[in-house]
């Protein structure tokens, strides 16, 4: 059986590994000791009882293939090299090294315990303060404002964005709906405002913000300034190029750096999609077909090229009951409101689905 190496077992790598497990001998190399379902990390700030459900072992992900812990330092058409010097050979290498985000929203280190510790610290900090400032008006900042306002209606929550609206890059109608709902929850919104004196862009801290007269005085400040692609393995490839976001550029078949049998997708690659799991749901079935055809002896170039979503879909709950979403089902996307958003994502944040995918249905790890 042909051997496929997948670098990174996040949303992209894990989903692809499950799909390819039937057609190839799959080896996922993942730096972390557990999968962290970061979609539910935002609500975990207000409800850390979710933590045991969203940190999931890798041992039941694959039936035939395996997930092994290790840090890949370089990739080539023939395989990968790990930080300990070990090499693994493969017929195809697929890189999904993803992105990093400020604590506590994604693990900063390879041990899940460090993630849960930083989440518990953020929760404790939240309970001790009655004022919260969130810097960043993208999906994470907006969701966090909604979760805190829903769970702690008496806390003063301020969201500060350098952009003129919430959710830059997404349709205005989504931004307007979320803005109205946040204001109704008592969240103060400040647009076109640059925060000059952020003490950290990496973790929440108790401090002051010079830019806002009404936010002077100490408050819990959450930086939520966006995802940063993790592309160290591509830096080793002489022909690798990067887009302004720092994602590695790929050809029409999602191959970086003029490689023939190395593919890249998910947050790390400039696929034409935004950095979302919604995007990955389109990339995985396409990759399965192309990689299976390649392993079967067909040329990659004879396969259809990858076409990104024509509209940007996203689901943005504001607590378990509210929120708004854009479904990428038409060219401009379809805006839906509170009920569909709650039904699709807000109620359970896909936790049962991911636990099931990882073989831990109904049980805590
Ligand atoms: C708080 C939060 C909530 C979000 N909610 C949503 C949502 O509701 N819907 C949505 O569509 N998107 C959401 N996103 C975005 C979504 O999380 C990303 O699009 C997604 O994580 C990308 O998946 P990925 O597999 O490409 O990268 P990641 O999930 O970042 O996974 C990459 C993996 O690669 C591993 N890795 C990196 N380098 C190496 C290496 N050299 N060797 C071995 N392993 C390596 C990492 O340890 C990691 O496990 C959210 C993001 C955040 C931060």
């Amino acid at each position: 059986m042909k051997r496929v190496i997948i670098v990174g077992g996040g949303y992209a790598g894990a989903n692809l590994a499950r799909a390819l497990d039937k057609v190839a001998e799959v080896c996922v190399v993942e730096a972390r000791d557990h999968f962290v379902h970061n979609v539910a990390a935002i609500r975990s700030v207000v409800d850390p009882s979710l933590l045991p459900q969203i940190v999931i072992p890798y041992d039941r992900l694959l039936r035939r293939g395996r997930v092994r812990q290790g840090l890949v330092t370089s990739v080539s058409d023939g395989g990968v090299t790990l930080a300990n010097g070990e090499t693994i050979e493969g017929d195809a290498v697929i890189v999904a090294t993803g992105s990093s985000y400020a604590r506590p929203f994604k693990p900063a280190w390879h041990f899940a315990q460090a993630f849960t510790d930083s989440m518990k610290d953020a929760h404790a900090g939240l309970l001790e303060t009655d004022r919260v400032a969130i810097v960043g008006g993208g999906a994470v900042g907006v969701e966090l404002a909604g979760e805190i306002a829903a769970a702690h209606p008496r806390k003063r929550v301020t969201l500060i964005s350098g952009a003129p609206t919430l959710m830059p890059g997404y349709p205005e109608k989504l931004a307007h709906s979320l803005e109205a709902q946040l204001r109704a929850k008592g969240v103060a919104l400040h647009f076109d405002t640059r925060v000059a004196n952020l003490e950290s862009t990496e973790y929440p801290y108790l401090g002051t913000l010079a830019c806002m007269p009404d936010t002077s005085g100490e408050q819990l400040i959450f930086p939520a300034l966006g995802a940063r692609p993790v592309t160290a393995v591509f830096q080793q490839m002489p022909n690798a190029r990067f887009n302004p976001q720092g994602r590695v550029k790929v050809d029409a078949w999602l191959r970086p750096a003029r490689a023939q049998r190395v593919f890249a997708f998910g947050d790390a690659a400039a696929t034409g999609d935004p950095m979302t799991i919604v995007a990955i749901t389109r990339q995985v079935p396409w990759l399965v077909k192309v990689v299976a055809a390649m392993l079967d002896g067909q040329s990659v170039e004879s396969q259809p090229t990858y076409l990104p979503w024509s509209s940007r879909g996203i689901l943005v709950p504001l607590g378990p009951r509210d929120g708004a979403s854009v479904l990428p089902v038409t060219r401009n996307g379809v805006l839906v409101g509170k009920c569909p958003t709650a039904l699709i994502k807000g109620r359970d944040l896909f936790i049962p689905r991911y636990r099931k995918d990882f073989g831990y249905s109904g049980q805590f790890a």
Side-chain angles (χ1 to χ4, degrees), residues 24-237:
E25 189 188 325
V26 175
C27 173
V28 178
V29 187
E30 165 54 50
R32 294 181 186 144
D33 58 0
H34 286 74
F35 175 81
V36 172
H37 177 44
N38 60 244
V39 167
I42 302 170
R43 188 168 299 161
S44 301
V45 174
V46 299
D47 180 6
S49 74
L50 295 176
L51 285 170
Q53 303 177 59
I54 68 169
V55 176
I56 312 174
Y58 278 107
D59 58 343
R60 300 184 194 167
L61 177 69
L62 302 178
R63 281 176 194 269
R64 293 188 343 180
R66 66 187 178 128
V67 182
R68 53 158 302 174
Q69 198 179 358
L71 185 72
V72 171
T73 50
S74 70
V75 300
S76 71
D77 277 326
V80 304
T81 305
L82 275 58
N84 63 5
E86 191 185 338
T87 58
I88 307 175
E89 291 180 3
D91 300 288
V93 176
I94 303 156
V95 184
T97 48
S99 63
S100 63
Y101 206 98
R103 276 177 267 158
F105 303 110
K106 255 185 162 177
W109 293 284
H110 300 157
F111 307 105
Q113 189 58 48
F115 167 76
T116 52
D117 289 349
S118 79
M119 188 61 80
K120 284 176 184 168
D121 286 350
H123 176 70
L126 179 66
L127 295 185
E128 280 166 20
T129 184
D130 55 5
R131 299 177 69 188
V132 176
I134 297 159
V135 183
V140 173
V142 169
E143 271 194 56
L144 181 65
E147 292 291 348
I148 296 175
H152 299 281
R154 292 189 177 184
K155 290 195 193 292
R156 265 175 68 186
V157 181
T158 305
L159 190 150
I160 302 151
S161 171
T165 61
L166 296 175
M167 303 293 301
Y170 287 92
E172 267 184 24
K173 54 193 177 182
L174 174 70
H176 290 153
S177 170
L178 293 168
E179 191 181 321
Q181 291 182 55
L182 284 178
R183 287 196 200 280
K185 286 180 184 297
V187 176
L189 300 173
H190 298 275
F191 296 113
D192 289 316
T193 306
R194 293 256 155 228
V195 177
N197 69 326
L198 261 189
E199 189 181 302
S200 172
T201 56
E202 294 299 322
Y203 52 82
Y205 63 93
L206 206 56
T208 56
L209 288 176
C211 63
M212 311 292 310
D214 64 334
T215 55
S216 54
E218 283 214 320
Q219 55 194 326
L220 184 60
I221 299 166
F222 283 92
L225 297 167
R228 294 167 302 249
V230 173
T231 57
V233 294
F234 304 112
Q235 311 281 349
Q236 316 298 323
M237 302 175 92

Side-chain angles (χ1 to χ4, degrees), residues 8 10-12 30-31 38 72 98-99 106 267 275-278 345:
Y11 290 95
E30 165 54 50
N38 60 244
V72 171
S99 63
K106 255 185 162 177
D267 282 10
M275 289 196 265
T276 60
I277 300 156
V278 178
K345 176 176 167 190

